[in-house]
Amino acid sequence: MRNKKRLPVHHNPAFSTECYHQYRLSIVMADPRKIGWVHSHFINLKLLPPPVTEGFPMIRLEEHLDIYKEILEEFPLVKSVDWVSTIRKAISNQHYVVLYFNWRYIQASKYYGHAADLVHEALIYGFDDEQQAFEMLAFDVEGKVYGATKISYQDCERELQRVLDTEMNAQRWFAFYGFPIVGIRPRDMKDSGPDMHSIYFALDRGAVHSRDKAGNTFAVGFPVSLALSEYFESECERGGTILESEFAFWNVMVYKMIQHNAAMNRRLDFLGNMDPIFAERIKGFYEKTKKGLAVIRSSSLQYQRSRDPALLQEISGLFAKNYEAERRAHPLMKEALVFHHLKKYS
Amino acid sequence: MKLEAIEETVVTCVKEVLPEAEFDSATPLEEVGMDSMNYIRLVVELEDSFGIEIQDQDISLDNFATVAMISQLVSRYIQHN
């Protein structure tokens, strides 16, 4: 029997720089009852030293995919008759599907026809028997960084099988990231609002700045900006040694900080609607940080064009300013959470 | 702005952070509840009240030990501005 089904998805969870989170948040944020959960997570960034001396430090969300256990059940999807009927059945049962393709073989992809392999995931959320196609969200399709596209049943069957035939060894480290194919069942939950305990203890963890004997810096939370300020200061002293091949990565890391800052501002708006104690002053600091990051982004691009070391000094100063703002916002936020919690007793 | 006036505003700021504390200008604020968390809040109160921006190198508990010391620090910023 010909049929069609489409599960709800959020088309722009605004964490495109963290692809594994982006796909799962597309599922989570489609359910308004889970928005409080989203605002209870992703409080901290962490900074890891670059793998090579001339590289750029890695900045990522402190929390990893295990946090979704509370709200999403992820399970291996095993082929029954063929992959199309397996995926179709999963969607019919209200299960999303994350699977991996080599995008050089996918027509809707920016990488279609390229010489190099690019194995990455997609989120299938619908099927249409009339069109003989699945609906999916993916990166770099239809001219968008992240957006919706379709893949025919025939192409999906062939391309998933291609990945299984050729990539099982090369991509094995993505096994816990949904490789090669998983079903995702959203757990039922009532809207319990944001988890203030989670936010508080994330802030409590988010004040780490350490350096090992080799001079490698590790930071979690607001000191990430300080660590970057120091990084650019030392880069300036060395006369600028960041490899040109690292520039794209550098820009992604700055953009990730912009996305994280936007998430923090959305969180404060959300909490501010619950209790005005979270508004105004704390928000003012994150707004300041937002402006600082916009200038950092533009100065970074300027440096990458001109290689003027003075710009490295300027970027260092901007990160120092952001650190100062976040250093003030951090205890204010903790205190607001404490006051909000203790109100129950007064 | 005279030091006495600065000190008066500093006292108001400290009371905002430590509403139940009793202190004079020489009382070590650590003894009446100032700690590494809430002195940053005091920094924010001072910046808002005086319209100054305290530099990172000055933000240490040592500079915020007493109302008198805080007033001296604020006075330097006001003069500099």
Side-chain angles (χ1 to χ4, degrees):
Chain A
M1 183 182 152
R2 294 203 159 203
N3 212 334
K4 78 191 273 188
K5 186 170 179 84
R6 178 187 289 160
L7 302 176
V9 281
H10 193 292
H11 286 251
N12 184 22
F15 265 122
S16 59
T17 50
E18 292 265 349
C19 52
Y20 318 119
H21 286 289
Q22 177 91 342
Y23 286 117
R24 283 147 185 93
L25 287 173
S26 280
I27 302 171
V28 173
M29 289 171 70
D31 182 351
R33 295 170 304 171
K34 290 174 177 148
I35 298 302
W37 182 92
V38 173
H39 288 307
S40 311
H41 291 279
F42 318 115
I43 312 288
N44 295 323
L45 289 173
K46 69 178 172 189
L47 177 140
L48 305 166
V52 292
T53 316
E54 300 83 3
F56 195 83
M58 162 71 92
I59 298 153
R60 54 192 310 180
L61 293 171
E62 184 205 15
E63 290 165 307
H64 222 312
L65 293 189
D66 52 334
I67 58 164
Y68 296 98
K69 275 191 297 189
E70 300 165 10
I71 51 168
L72 301 175
E73 187 190 342
E74 216 161 304
F75 53 92
L77 208 56
V78 180
K79 183 162 81 171
S80 49
V81 182
D82 53 42
W83 282 116
V84 168
S85 58
T86 306
I87 296 167
R88 204 181 156 286
K89 189 177 169 194
I91 303 290
S92 297
N93 288 337
Q94 305 284 114
H95 303 159
Y96 297 81
V97 175
V98 164
L99 78 178
Y100 282 66
F101 292 128
N102 187 340
W103 293 86
R104 62 185 280 215
Y105 299 112
I106 307 293
Q107 279 189 25
S109 172
K110 180 178 149 184
Y111 306 99
Y112 179 62
H114 283 205
D117 289 331
L118 192 123
V119 180
H120 203 252
E121 70 264 63
L123 172 69
I124 295 189
Y125 62 92
F127 67 83
D128 185 340
D129 290 341
E130 196 71 44
Q131 293 188 31
Q132 291 283 293
F134 289 116
E135 291 184 272
M136 62 182 180
L137 287 171
F139 282 86
D140 296 318
V141 290
E142 310 291 355
K144 288 182 180 174
V145 171
Y146 182 75
T149 188
K150 289 179 179 172
I151 184 166
S152 71
Y153 287 166
Q154 195 181 11
D155 287 356
C156 183
E157 184 79 34
R158 185 188 64 242
E159 292 310 322
L160 177 57
Q161 195 55 52
R162 187 198 299 273
V163 165
L164 290 161
D165 291 343
T166 60
E167 302 294 338
M168 286 302 278
N169 185 51
Q171 306 295 331
R172 66 189 184 282
W173 292 110
F174 292 99
F176 287 103
Y177 294 74
F179 179 81
I181 177 168
V182 288
I184 299 181
R185 180 177 18 236
R187 293 187 196 277
D188 200 25
M189 68 183 280
K190 59 177 185 179
D191 183 1
S192 51
D195 180 346
M196 302 303 197
H197 284 78
S198 283
I199 300 173
Y200 182 86
F201 286 111
L203 289 167
D204 212 46
R205 293 194 303 273
V208 175
H209 186 211
S210 67
R211 194 176 283 109
D212 66 16
K213 281 180 184 167
N216 293 317
T217 300
F218 176 79
V220 180
F222 68 90
V224 165
S225 292
L226 178 62
L228 283 167
S229 173
E230 291 172 352
Y231 170 77
F232 279 102
E233 176 78 39
S234 70
E235 264 304 308
C236 184
E237 282 164 10
R238 286 201 295 265
T241 63
I242 308 171
L243 295 171
E244 194 172 335
S245 56
E246 291 289 299
F247 288 174
F249 184 71
W250 167 0
N251 295 335
V252 170
M253 294 303 106
V254 172
Y255 190 51
K256 191 179 290 188
M257 295 184 84
I258 290 171
Q259 290 188 324
H260 179 258
N261 172 270
M264 187 54 105
N265 277 311
R266 286 195 299 274
R267 178 178 2 264
L268 285 168
D269 288 339
F270 185 84
L271 296 174
N273 286 333
M274 287 173 56
D275 188 335
I277 199 168
F278 293 105
E280 296 167 19
R281 207 182 237 178
I282 305 174
K283 188 88 197 293
F285 286 115
Y286 287 107
E287 286 292 341
K288 202 185 262 188
T289 312
K290 177 183 170 181
K291 286 177 191 156
L293 284 166
V295 185
I296 287 167
R297 191 182 192 188
S298 123
S299 300
S300 298
L301 294 171
Q302 268 184 35
Y303 171 80
Q304 291 162 18
R305 282 193 295 268
S306 68
R307 304 291 187 102
D308 176 1
L311 286 161
L312 295 174
Q313 189 69 53
E314 184 189 312
I315 295 167
S316 170
L318 288 161
F319 272 120
K321 281 275 169 212
N322 275 7
Y323 162 71
E324 286 175 26
E326 288 170 28
R327 185 184 179 188
R328 285 159 174 75
H330 186 263
L332 290 179
M333 180 90 172
K334 282 178 88 173
E335 191 177 51
L337 287 161
V338 166
F339 284 156
H340 176 79
H341 185 70
L342 292 178
K343 266 185 191 172
K344 297 180 184 97
Y345 301 96
S346 56
Chain B
M1 197 174 186
K2 286 189 174 165
L3 196 58
E4 293 78 33
I6 292 174
E7 200 164 296
E8 207 172 297
T9 308
V10 169
V11 167
T12 308
C13 292
V14 174
K15 282 190 172 161
E16 192 69 37
V17 179
L18 303 170
E20 286 159 19
E22 288 186 12
F23 55 89
D24 59 30
S25 67
T27 306
L29 293 176
E30 264 187 297
E31 289 176 11
V32 292
M34 188 64 73
D35 59 29
S36 59
M37 281 295 290
N38 57 21
Y39 92 97
I40 296 283
R41 214 192 122 206
L42 176 61
V43 169
V44 175
E45 292 288 344
L46 294 167
E47 288 178 332
D48 282 358
S49 299
F50 291 102
I52 56 175
E53 208 167 306
I54 299 172
Q55 298 299 302
D56 202 42
Q57 64 268 22
D58 288 328
I59 303 178
S60 72
L61 263 174
D62 293 346
N63 283 332
F64 293 80
T66 65
V67 166
M69 289 174 74
I70 298 167
S71 303
Q72 291 290 347
L73 179 74
V74 169
S75 168
R76 286 206 302 276
Y77 274 92
I78 291 174
Q79 280 169 20
H80 185 72
N81 282 353

